[in-house]
Amino acid sequence: MSDTFPPGFLWGTATAAYQIEGAAREDGRTPSIWDTFSHTPGKVAQGHTGDIAVDHFHRRAEDVRLMAGLGVNAYRFSVSWPRVQPTGRGPAVQRGLDFYRALVDDLLGHGIEPVLTLYHWDLPQELEAAGGWPRRETAYRFAEYARQVGEALGDRVARWTTLNEPWCSAFLGYASGAHAPGRTNPAAALRAAHHLSLGHGLAAQALRSVLPAGRRLSVSLNPSAVRARTRSPEDLDAQRRIDALANRIFTGPMLEGAYPEDLFADTARITDWSFVRATDPATIRQPLDSLGINYYAPTVVSAATDAFAGRHDGHGEGGHSPWPGADSVAFHRPPGELTEMGWPVDPSGLYDLLLRYTREAPGLPLMVTENGAAYPDRPGADGTVHDPDRIRYLHGHLAAVRRAIDDGADVRGYFLWSLLDNFEWAHGYGKRFGAVHVDYETQRRTPKSSALWYARLAGTGVLPEVPVG
């Protein structure tokens, strides 16, 4: 296997608005569902919020210079919907758009390609109060917002992503309640999943209507590499069931223009899916220029037994499951190395997904739009931050990407999650995914060893060896 990546490969880092920006009440920004959720006692570890986060709103220029110093040629960021359109309705707020105009100009000035994500989970709270993603109207509001951002930034942003991980928005937000808005209604979660997909399709149409020719559209999914614990018929059926809920619920309508019939059958006791109108799948299936794949760990399942206790699916083990209609499925933590999130380190899952979507969507380029790991990084006595575990993690997963390319996958780029340590959703500031360490008291940024390792890769396109020691 070659260690050299193709010419023109995008080497990027990625962030999300609520996790890094702060400035929660500046320039007309109003609360998102994550502002409300994080300010609700007991929802986020240690009562942490994104009010300040890592102050990227005020340190934008510094952070872009930091990226330039790392040699990355692309940066994937999200726009804060309530910063641009505070109520989720009506005209855009120019002060909010001005922040993103300045960010994009800074990136382009440093030779870094902006990769813009319209929705990374920060629904305006007013839209949630009106029903949120389970309500069809939210999909139309999202398309209006997409059009406004497209009109403002389409002259300088070439790569656009509609949604980031709609599975998390729907099922962690509305079924398990582990994420904002914290609802625990399986039927609402399935409606939310459909309306997120509908919003994707409507937003893609809206963007195509206002963007200059040649702009590229994508969506970033977090497909699960679902594995049966054994080859028994019962475990294989558990695998099929979770594959429908994790993967085909989105790729079916987005890539094929139809929902999988087994998904409808599996969830029939929860909903009759009457909220899906006859024309919706065609609206959802819009032409894409690439498909974003976010990957962290595989999912191991079996048929549930009386002896099984707990749910080890990487999404918490609370009393409410994010898997509607899958009460008969058990989730298992495989043996071996774990990250600080308790997620297994297994690059083969990323390889499997890249080859799967190469087969299922031939001709559609792929991007690894998120991949990374949390470890308990601490500065040493000399102020440096060494994170050899993360370097090994990245090396293994990038080697899997390179092997997938050798085996026929058309992978065009890789975005390391994340540029900066930041607000890690319900975990607050307790989990560090960044290639750059952030001292949350002083906001001092310190590139970790992994950032310097990644910079060598970005500069040469050749996978470096893992340092010894």
Side-chain angles (χ1 to χ4, degrees):
M1 183 190 79
S2 172
D3 289 333
T4 302
F5 283 78
F9 198 81
L10 286 183
W11 294 107
T13 59
T15 63
Y18 188 73
Q19 293 182 273
I20 68 167
E21 284 183 3
R25 298 174 183 84
E26 294 191 31
D27 288 346
R29 183 188 181 279
T30 57
S32 73
I33 55 175
W34 269 98
D35 294 276
T36 302
F37 188 79
S38 66
H39 280 270
T40 302
K43 296 297 186 181
V44 173
Q46 300 182 60
H48 291 164
T49 75
D51 289 1
I52 298 173
V54 295
D55 199 30
H56 173 71
F57 185 83
H58 299 110
R59 298 170 183 267
R60 179 202 76 242
E62 174 189 353
D63 290 341
V64 173
R65 290 194 298 271
L66 183 62
M67 285 181 246
L70 296 180
V72 299
N73 58 19
Y75 174 53
R76 179 174 175 255
F77 64 95
S78 76
V79 173
S80 169
W81 189 349
R83 194 179 298 285
V84 167
Q85 195 189 37
T87 65
R89 297 180 178 84
V93 173
Q94 294 305 311
R95 290 175 298 170
L97 285 169
D98 284 345
F99 170 75
Y100 299 104
R101 291 185 177 106
L103 172 61
V104 167
D105 287 346
D106 283 352
L107 292 168
L108 294 173
H110 284 85
I112 300 170
E113 182 167 5
V115 181
L116 186 153
T117 299
L118 285 164
Y119 187 73
H120 200 133
W121 307 355
D122 49 0
L123 184 72
Q125 179 59 39
E126 286 199 26
L127 290 185
E128 172 60 23
W133 284 110
R135 184 170 181 249
R136 187 179 181 89
E137 179 66 16
T138 304
Y140 295 96
R141 300 282 63 76
F142 178 61
E144 178 189 41
Y145 153 71
R147 178 183 56 77
Q148 291 174 346
V149 180
E151 288 173 338
L153 296 174
D155 62 333
R156 64 198 89 178
V157 175
R159 296 181 186 272
W160 293 75
T161 303
T162 54
L163 305 174
N164 180 78
E165 298 186 356
W167 185 91
C168 294
S169 297
F171 295 109
L172 299 183
Y174 292 94
S176 75
H179 280 190
R183 290 206 242 166
T184 55
N185 183 323
L190 293 167
R191 291 197 304 274
H194 174 66
H195 295 142
L196 281 153
S197 292
L198 181 62
H200 155 76
L202 293 168
Q205 290 178 335
L207 288 170
R208 292 286 189 205
S209 74
V210 298
L211 292 180
R215 293 324 195 213
R216 301 171 184 174
L217 297 188
S218 184
V219 63
S220 284
L221 307 178
N222 59 317
S224 291
V226 187
R227 295 170 175 171
R229 196 179 192 195
T230 75
R231 304 304 293 175
S232 72
E234 295 80 8
D235 287 2
L236 290 173
D237 189 65
Q239 179 187 37
R240 176 204 59 75
R241 186 180 292 264
I242 297 306
D243 184 66
L245 277 171
N247 302 329
R248 291 180 286 121
I249 189 172
F250 295 108
T251 59
M254 288 182 183
L255 302 181
E256 301 172 17
Y259 278 101
E261 289 297 327
D262 60 324
L263 171 70
F264 290 167
D266 291 342
T267 57
R269 65 181 177 80
I270 298 171
T271 180
D272 62 4
W273 291 84
S274 59
F275 48 83
V276 179
R277 298 181 184 176
T279 58
D280 285 354
T283 300
I284 295 168
R285 187 189 188 188
Q286 294 298 312
L288 296 175
D289 299 294
S290 65
L291 176 66
I293 303 293
N294 296 356
Y295 173 82
Y296 294 94
T299 300
V300 180
V301 300
S302 73
T305 66
D306 292 341
F308 179 78
R311 173 171 47 82
H312 305 290
D313 61 356
H315 301 294
E317 296 178 31
H320 298 278
S321 170
W323 304 101
D327 296 343
S328 62
V329 176
F331 294 82
H332 303 271
R333 182 178 292 127
E337 181 185 354
L338 303 176
T339 70
E340 196 181 21
M341 294 289 288
W343 298 345
V345 178
D346 188 345
S348 69
L350 178 55
Y351 171 87
D352 291 347
L353 288 170
L354 294 173
L355 267 292
R356 172 179 179 170
Y357 291 111
T358 295
R359 293 189 304 270
E360 294 186 4
L364 181 62
L366 305 176
M367 292 269 190
V368 179
T369 41
E370 284 187 27
N371 178 238
Y375 290 104
D377 310 313
R378 300 288 183 271
D382 62 354
T384 61
V385 184
H386 295 294
D387 55 344
D389 290 339
R390 182 174 288 104
I391 293 175
R392 285 192 294 273
Y393 179 99
L394 295 176
H395 185 279
H397 286 77
L398 282 157
V401 174
R402 190 66 194 84
R403 184 162 65 95
I405 293 172
D406 284 344
D407 290 344
D410 184 11
V411 186
R412 303 284 182 89
Y414 176 95
F415 291 80
L416 186 156
W417 186 271
S418 175
L419 172 66
L420 302 161
D421 290 336
N422 55 46
F423 177 83
E424 182 47 40
W425 307 114
H427 298 280
Y429 296 98
K431 307 295 183 186
R432 293 180 177 269
F433 275 88
V436 175
H437 181 273
V438 178
D439 181 322
Y440 296 125
E441 294 297 322
T442 66
Q443 297 293 351
R444 177 181 173 84
R445 276 90 158 121
T446 304
K448 304 173 187 177
S449 297
S450 61
L452 306 179
W453 181 89
Y454 190 64
R456 291 197 298 275
L457 172 58
T460 65
V462 179
L463 188 62
E465 293 296 325
V466 176
V468 177

